[in-house]
């Protein structure tokens, strides 16, 4: 601790505290321009200079730590005059076109000048002008460098946090300008974080430009619903029209950052394509009806459809709120008496159960900051840079000045590879075998200490010999990963939802964690989800074998695949789908469409007429995330508030209200008046939520605590087996078909999430149509370069797409995002067959010459 | 007449070849050093009183002693050969004419601080110098003075030549490190100092060419010999590059502390055409000018500091009575304005504003109050910049204005030059 005197006031602070922070603590406001708490230190603007008694020169308080006994003056005449002359110098060449500057009213330069600056200036020269007209840097950025004050916050955030590193300085001295190097369209993340941190109106948001003045905006702090990271964001509107989304430095795990989806993905809310009245299929077409008619039709339809013992089922999205998901499962289980429920239709029902178990989700949540406080971080099963951009940023930022080994295992090359100590490229769906391989090496090296390791017998099937075949990874890389884990005291294993796309043998994860723990390591498990409330969905019990609060059971309920299978056999009388476009998601587009045709009564609740909704007998208009209240539980297990900001459009209603009114229509006691009432009930049903105060949830939310129920990790492991040797050449292992040399994988694109983001015009502008990403060597071998059109052909579907090259992706794999209606990637899939095989035909030479890995 | 030490080989034919160097006693100091304890060498350099010739005059031995002793941490030596200060051309002579002297000095320095790799950051324009260094390094490898297990010892050393990125700021030691690492040359925050966190984040010594060239002589002839040359607190031989209105401009090696008058009149042959001296810049253009009455000042770090100026790089720029000081000050200021890296507000914006005012004063368009404005701006910048470049710029200007205020005022009032009469 250091005791220092600031303007005569004594204050004791931690050693190493910056003078700036100590002064703030003592109640003195020092202006800053270049300083940013979470970026590297620059000390270039000199606005924060202070006097240290006994030192001749003024010192920048933003980089100078206090020393015990130091006496600091922040208000002395010298300091005040230095401060005001720095501001005067910053203003000298500044255009001062505040009346037409977007930043006016929330500009740090204005604020600092108003508070500390000179009131007039003798500067009478021609001002420096770089350009007369603002220029466009990206679909989201427009720049006026004349206003730039060279604080380099934009450059630093883009480099140190986003990892795109596309901004920099051009020229030197007084001609320095911070911009893109080429002044051409940036090939970047389009995250807008550079705009967010720009203190002046130099970098501006294109969608928001000239839309409003900050003081005319009203806003609400809420949570992003695009991925499991769960960023806090502030939605702002003028006269009820949503004009922008911003992030706040003091809110949420994301602080000032957001990704393109979070920041620019809001405009679907005002989309004209939304349907805003209930509709009933009448003579082949969907026709608007009032709510009471729709509800009556549902009640009648259900009774009719369930006659002669046909099944009912329900599929709800991991993007609904906890309250909605809880009510949904209660409705299905309690009112419709069925366990046929699931969240989403992309995951394997069994894999989900194993995952929830081995990832110890019932033990409560873990803050991402705690998870990243580890010597070794191993990431597997997620294209994390694309799926969870802010998780990627956090890892990049927090690992910058820390000794942390980051190891990434994924088929695709990821932006985060540049922060990694080691990146493994593996064959799709090999995650379980890789985890098993690592466990095997660790076990072999520590057999005496691991005598009691549960599940060790499963490791027998993994060997130096079969690993390359199983995983396309060599044994020595597996050994290196084991080495990093063995040399670490604390290890965090982050596992993404790609392991849920098929039976994944994720159980080997448990053996690995167990082995490391037996060796005395601190092991943390961190799940990574693409759907914002995936974790909440399971916690609320939206899964045939998981009751609220992770009460696991082996029941008769069907998951999505089971429901769709049953439907295809004509066994499903009624199916209720909320917020999920299963026709676009289920990994067999042809099959699911056929199956849904057999469903007697299909109810779809959504905000757009999705492919699934188009097949429904009744469609119900739900509300967007700003039109309803509720809570979301992100991948960390952090419960955050979703806050209603505007009224639902037209006759649309909050999804929980709709679910409740369906329940009430059938059973009058199923009545709920408010989200907080439902939350109260959740607290009773889900012990993990007992400690959470709904009203008190602020920008940091609250992390769920372990409940002690459920928890059969070891049991699940006992019941599975790693692939026996004989099975090595099983289904996915079959000799590669030279006709179809590539394995097709899918997931979310960086700019999109599900199909919803396509309705947000800014995101659609950034990436309007599907692309296919492939390894550079593979592309070269076919003579394909970035931007070329290629045809991707499988045994049941083909599509023409633009080629993207990923230098670091594994050979023999192509990736098509699952977000595009023009190329519904699930049409390539065949149910039960894993990832499809495809060939790629360059369109210039349509001869079939697709070539696989070497 | 002082017997040259650093320049002693300079006029020998083929002075840059290793044979010539060896014939004149080259690499003996290195051989001797390899048998000495590294602490002994550092102590010798401290005792010699050698102070950095790059401008700041920091004790070289002390700088070396800051490097951590832990043998498991890699360390680096960077030779600062970016020589870019107008009027300065001393390092270039050593590099082009006697590169082995530098290499030997570097080898001893690396041995002393435990560095196995060293870089010479040479000004981009010095094409001949870079070639000579590359050749000399190759020769040194082939004779076994560089490479693995040098002369049968445990010491191994590689030296790399890195050509500079074309800006004066690259000579500032931390900007040099940034540039060497492949980034834009912008100075780094200190602390941490390079001795702790330097090149590639590792402990690093940065020394000027001339500084390193002194080292073999200290090892050969002893610390007390070196300390006996010139003033006790800033001893040793010093290269003075004299330019401007003198009869014999050129590079002179003289003991530290030689009076300015002697340098100009005895060695550089006095002022051309026997005109009167008007002003002299004693140590490169950031050093404030001196005038006639200061000519007896001894040319060493402390005596010049006492006069409010500095020895800097030892570049003596002489201006005779016909010189327009306003124009001279503008030319100098244009240099700094052009070379400002743009990182910090006072230098980037302050020098830009000053240059605009200076131009109009020089061009006969000055306004009343401009001189006060210039002084105010100098005050706004001084002591607040990130690195010494900005400070140097305003110190130089303030020196000119303070010594020749009436000349500046004349420009403003009469819209023409006091010395040359014409408008510009
Ligand atoms: C703007 C600026 C330019 C500099 N240029 C040089 C240079 O060209 N050569 C040099 O040796 N030192 C230069 N220096 C000084 C170096 O920063 C550093 O002090 C020196 O290289 C240390 O070596 P020394 O201790 O041997 O003098 C410069 C300093 C500044 C602020
Ligand atoms: S939008 Fe994001 S990625 Fe693009 S330049 Fe700005 S910070 Fe960098
Ligand atoms: S563009 Fe904005 S953030 Fe970037 S350097 Fe300029 S003022 Fe700073
Ligand atoms: S990282 Fe995820 S939660 Fe955060 S802004 Fe992006 S999509 Fe939203
Ligand atoms: S003083 Fe000048 S050269 Fe030095 S950091 Fe500031 S702008 Fe760059
Ligand atoms: S805020 Fe401290 S120098 Fe810019």
């Amino acid at each position: 601790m250091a005791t220092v005197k600031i303007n005569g006031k004594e204050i004791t602070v931690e050693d190493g505290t910056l003078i700036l922070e100590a002064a703030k603590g003592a109640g003195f406001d020092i202006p800053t321009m270049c300083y940013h708490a979470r970026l590297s230190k620059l000390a270039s603007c000199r606005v924060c200079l202070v006097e240290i008694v006994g030192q001749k020169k003024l010192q920048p308080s933003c980089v100078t730590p206090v020393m015990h006994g130091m006496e600091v003056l922040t208000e002395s005449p010298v300091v005040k005059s230095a401060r005001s002359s720095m501001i005067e110098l910053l203003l000298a060449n500044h255009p001062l076109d505040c009346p037409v500057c977007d930043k006016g009213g929330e500009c740090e330069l204005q604020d600092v000048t108003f508070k500390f600056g000179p009131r007039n200036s003798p500067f009478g020269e021609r001002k420096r002008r770089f350009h007369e007209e603002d220029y466009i840097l990206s679909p989201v950025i427009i720049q006026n460098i004349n206003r730039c004050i060279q604080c380099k916050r934009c450059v630093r955030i883009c480099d140190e946090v986003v990892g795109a590193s596309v901004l920099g300085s051009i020229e030197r001295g007084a001609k320095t300008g911070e911009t893109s190097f080429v002044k051409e369209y940036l090939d970047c993340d389009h995250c807008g974080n550079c705009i967010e941190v720009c203190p002046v109106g130099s970098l501006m948001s294109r969608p928001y430009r000239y839309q409003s003045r900050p003081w005319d905006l009203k806003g609400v702090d809420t949570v992003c619903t695009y991925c499991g990271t769960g960023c806090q964001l502030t939605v702002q509107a003028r006269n009820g029209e949503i004009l922008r989304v911003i992030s706040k430095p003091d809110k949420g795990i994301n602080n000032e950052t957001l990704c393109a989806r979070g920041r620019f993905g809001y405009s679907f809310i005002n989309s004209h394509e939304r349907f805003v009245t209930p509709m009933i299929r009448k003579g082949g077409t969907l026709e608007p009806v009032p709510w009471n008619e729709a509800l009556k039709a549902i009640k009648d339809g259900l009774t009719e459809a369930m006659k002669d013992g046909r099944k009912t089922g329900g599929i709800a999205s991991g993007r609904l709120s906890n309250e909605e998901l809880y009510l949904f499962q209660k409705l299905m289980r309690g009112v419709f008496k069925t366990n046929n429920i699931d969240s989403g239709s992309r995951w394997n029902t069994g894999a989900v159960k194993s995952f929830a178990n081995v990832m110890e989700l019932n033990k409560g949540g873990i803050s991402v900051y705690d998870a990243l406080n580890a010597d070794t971080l191993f990431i597997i099963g997620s294209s994390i840079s694309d799926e969870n951009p802010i998780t990627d940023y956090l890892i990049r930022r927090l690992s910058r000045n820390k000794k942390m080994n980051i190891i990434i295992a994924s088929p695709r090359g990821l932006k985060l590879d540049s922060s990694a100590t080691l990146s493994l490229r593996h064959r799709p769906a090999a995650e379980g075998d890789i985890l098993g391989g690592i466990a095997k090496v660790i076990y072999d090296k520590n057999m005496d200490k691991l005598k009691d390791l549960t599940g060790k017998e499963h490791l027998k099937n993994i060997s130096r010999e079969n690993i390359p075949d199983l995983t396309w990874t060599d044994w020595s890389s597996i050994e290196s990963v084991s080495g990093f884990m063995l040399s670490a005291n604390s290890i965090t294993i982050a596992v993404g939802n790609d392991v849920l796309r098929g039976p994944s043998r994720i159980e080997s994860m448990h053996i690995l964690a167990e082995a490391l723990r037996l060796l005395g390591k601190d092991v943390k498990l961190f799940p990574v989800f693409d759907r914002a409330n995936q974790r909440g969905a399971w916690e609320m019990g939206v899964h045939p074998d998981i009751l609220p609060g992770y009460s696991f059971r082996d029941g008769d309920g069907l998951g999505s695949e089971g429901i769709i299978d049953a439907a295809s056999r004509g066994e499903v009388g009624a199916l209720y789908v909320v917020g999920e476009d299963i026709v676009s998601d289920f990994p067999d587009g042809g099959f699911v469409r056929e199956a849904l045709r057999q469903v007697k009564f299909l109810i779809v609740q959504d905000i757009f007429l999705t492919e699934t909704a188009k097949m429904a007998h009744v469609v119900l208009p739900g509300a967007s995330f700003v039109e309803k209240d509720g809570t979301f539980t992100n991948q960390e297990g952090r419960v955050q508030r979703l806050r209603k900001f505007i009224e639902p459009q037209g006759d649309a209603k909050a999804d929980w209200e709709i679910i409740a009114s369906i329940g009430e229509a059938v059973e009058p006691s199923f009545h709920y008046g408010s989200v907080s009432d439902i939350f109260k009930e959740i607290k009773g049903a889900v012990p993990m939520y007992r400690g959470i105060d709904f009203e008190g949830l602020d920008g940091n939310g609250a992390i769920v605590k372990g409940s002690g129920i459920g928890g059969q990790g070891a049991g699940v492991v006992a019941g599975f087996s790693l692939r026996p040797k004989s099975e090595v050449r099983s289904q996915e292992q079959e000799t590669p078909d030279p006709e179809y040399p590539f394995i097709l994988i899918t997931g979310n694109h960086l700019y999109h999430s599900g199909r919803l983001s396509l309705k947000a015009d800014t995101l659609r502008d950034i990436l309007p149509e599907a692309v296919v990403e492939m390894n550079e060597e593979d592309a070269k071998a076919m003579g394909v370069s970035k931007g070329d059109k290629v045809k991707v052909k499988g045994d049941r579907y083909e599509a023409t797409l633009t080629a993207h090259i990923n230098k670091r992706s594994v050979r023999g794999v192509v990736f098509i995002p699952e977000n595009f209606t023009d190329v519904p990637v699930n049409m390539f899939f065949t149910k039960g067959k894993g990832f499809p095989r495809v060939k790629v035909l360059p369109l210039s030479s349509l001869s079939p010459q697709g070539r696989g890995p070497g | 007449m002082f017997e040259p030490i650093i320049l002693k080989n300079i006029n020998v034919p083929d002075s840059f070849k290793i044979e010539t160097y060896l014939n004149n006693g080259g690499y003996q100091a290195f051989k001797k050093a390899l048998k000495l304890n590294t602490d002994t060498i550092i102590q010798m350099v401290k005792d010699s009183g050698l102070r950095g010739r790059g401008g700041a005059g920091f004790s070289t031995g002390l700088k070396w002693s800051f490097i951590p002793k832990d043998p498991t941490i890699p360390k680096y030596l960077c030779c600062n050969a970016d020589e870019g200060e107008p009027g300065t051309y001393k390092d270039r002579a050593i590099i082009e004419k006697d590169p082995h002297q530098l290499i030997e000095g570097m080898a001893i320095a690396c041995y002393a601080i435990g560095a196995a790799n060293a870089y010479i950051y040479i000004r981009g324009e010095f094409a001949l110098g870079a070639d000579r260094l590359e050749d000399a390094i190759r020769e040194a490898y082939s004779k076994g003075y560089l490479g693995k297990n040098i002369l049968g010892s445990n010491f191994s050393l590689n030296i790399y030549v890195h050509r500079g990125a074309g800006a004066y700021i690259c000579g500032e030691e931390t900007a040099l490190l940034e540039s060497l690492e492949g980034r834009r040359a912008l100075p780094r925050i200190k602390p941490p100092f390079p001795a702790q966190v330097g090149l590639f984040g590792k402990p690093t010594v940065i020394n000027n060419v001339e500084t390193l060239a002194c080292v073999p002589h200290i090892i050969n002839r002893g610390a007390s010999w070196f300390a006996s040359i010139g003033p006790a607190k800033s001893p040793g031989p010093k290269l003075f590059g004299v330019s401007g209105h003198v009869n014999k401009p050129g590079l002179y090696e003289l003991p530290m502390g030689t009076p300015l008058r002697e340098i100009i009149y005895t060695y550089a042959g006095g002022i051309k055409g026997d005109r009167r001296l008007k002003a002299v810049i004693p140590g490169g253009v950031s050093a404030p000018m001196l005038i006639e009455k200061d000519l007896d000042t001894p040319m060493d770090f402390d005596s010049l500091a006492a006069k409010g100026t500095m020895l800097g790089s030892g570049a003596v720029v002489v201006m005779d009575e016909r010189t327009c000081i306003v124009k001279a000050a503008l030319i100098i200021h244009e240099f700094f304005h052009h070379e400002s890296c743009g990182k910090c507000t006072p230098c980037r914006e302050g020098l830009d504003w000053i240059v605009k005012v200076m131009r109009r004063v020089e061009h006969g368009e000055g306004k009343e109050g401009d001189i006060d404005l210039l002084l105010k701006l100098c005050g706004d910048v001084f002591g607040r910049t990130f690195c010494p470049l900005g400070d140097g710029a305003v110190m130089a200007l303030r020196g000119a204005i303070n010594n020749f205020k009436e000349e500046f005022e004349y420009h403003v009032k009469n819209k023409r030059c006091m010395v040359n009469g014409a408008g510009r």
Side-chain angles (χ1 to χ4, degrees), chain B residues 151-392:
Chain B
L151 304 173
S153 70
N154 282 333
F155 177 60
S156 304
L157 173 64
N158 294 309
I159 298 184
Y160 307 93
V161 176
H162 182 98
R163 294 186 61 179
Y168 173 56
I169 195 63
C170 298
E172 193 285 327
E173 56 186 22
T174 58
L176 180 150
L177 297 178
E178 286 285 294
S179 174
L180 203 50
E181 288 181 14
R183 284 188 290 273
R184 220 178 139 79
L186 300 182
R188 293 180 182 171
I189 295 169
K190 292 192 268 192
F193 290 93
Q196 265 72 51
V197 184
L199 188 62
F200 308 124
K202 300 291 183 273
T204 303
V205 163
I206 299 119
N207 272 139
N208 171 256
V209 173
E210 186 188 348
T211 313
L212 290 164
C214 290
V215 172
H217 304 286
I218 294 171
I219 302 296
N220 267 335
R221 298 164 79 168
S224 46
W225 160 79
F226 192 89
S228 71
I229 304 168
K233 291 218 162 130
S234 106
K238 175 79 194 93
L239 304 185
F240 295 103
V242 188
S243 60
H245 304 136
V246 288
N247 284 313
K248 293 195 311 184
L251 192 60
Y252 297 91
E253 180 175 2
L254 297 167
M256 276 279 191
T258 306
L260 188 49
R261 187 184 301 282
E262 209 177 308
I263 295 177
I264 298 173
Y265 289 95
T266 313
Y267 296 97
I271 313 284
K272 265 190 190 157
D274 281 336
R275 279 185 286 270
R276 279 188 53 191
L277 178 134
K278 183 166 185 181
V280 53
I281 298 170
V285 293
S286 19
M289 330 178 150
L290 295 175
I291 50 175
E292 177 83 52
K293 72 171 171 43
D294 303 315
L295 284 189
D296 293 316
T297 313
M299 290 285 281
D300 62 68
F301 291 112
D302 307 314
S303 311
L304 286 166
K307 284 273 170 201
T309 179
M310 59 191 187
L311 179 63
S313 57
V316 178
V317 184
V318 180
M319 290 170 267
D320 71 16
E321 56 190 331
R322 297 179 316 174
T323 312
C324 169
I325 292 295
V326 179
K327 185 167 185 178
L330 173 61
I331 290 170
I332 292 170
H333 194 78
E334 293 273 12
F335 168 76
F336 288 115
H337 175 247
H338 182 69
E339 293 296 341
S340 161
C341 80
K343 178 169 184 161
C344 69
T345 307
C347 175
R348 181 185 66 244
E349 303 296 344
L351 305 199
D352 191 46
W353 190 343
I354 291 173
V355 89
K356 285 171 176 161
V357 179
M358 282 287 288
R359 279 179 196 154
R360 70 173 183 238
V361 171
E362 157 65 5
H363 293 175
E365 291 154 13
K367 298 181 203 150
E368 206 187 311
D370 272 357
I371 308 307
D372 288 339
L373 176 58
L374 286 173
L375 287 171
K376 166 198 139 61
L377 289 172
C378 288
D380 287 347
V381 174
F382 185 73
R384 290 156 190 184
T385 57
F386 190 95
C387 87
L389 187 148
D391 271 356

Side-chain angles (χ1 to χ4, degrees), chain B residues 82-97:
Chain B
D82 194 52
E83 188 163 69
E85 180 107 345
T88 311
Y89 47 88
K90 62 190 183 71
D91 297 342
R92 178 177 172 186
I94 299 173
I95 291 165
E96 290 179 0
K97 300 278 182 152

Side-chain angles (χ1 to χ4, degrees), chain A residues 378-380 407-413 417 420 422-426 434 438 471-474 476-481 808 810:
Chain A
F378 182 60
I379 303 168
I380 190 165
I407 305 159
I408 299 176
S410 73
R412 297 174 62 205
D417 285 334
L422 179 68
S423 292
L424 302 188
R425 288 295 102 91
H426 62 76
I434 287 181
I438 300 167
T471 67
W472 296 355
T473 308
D474 54 11
S476 65
S477 310
I478 301 279
E479 282 181 323
S480 315
V481 180
R808 297 182 303 253
V810 73

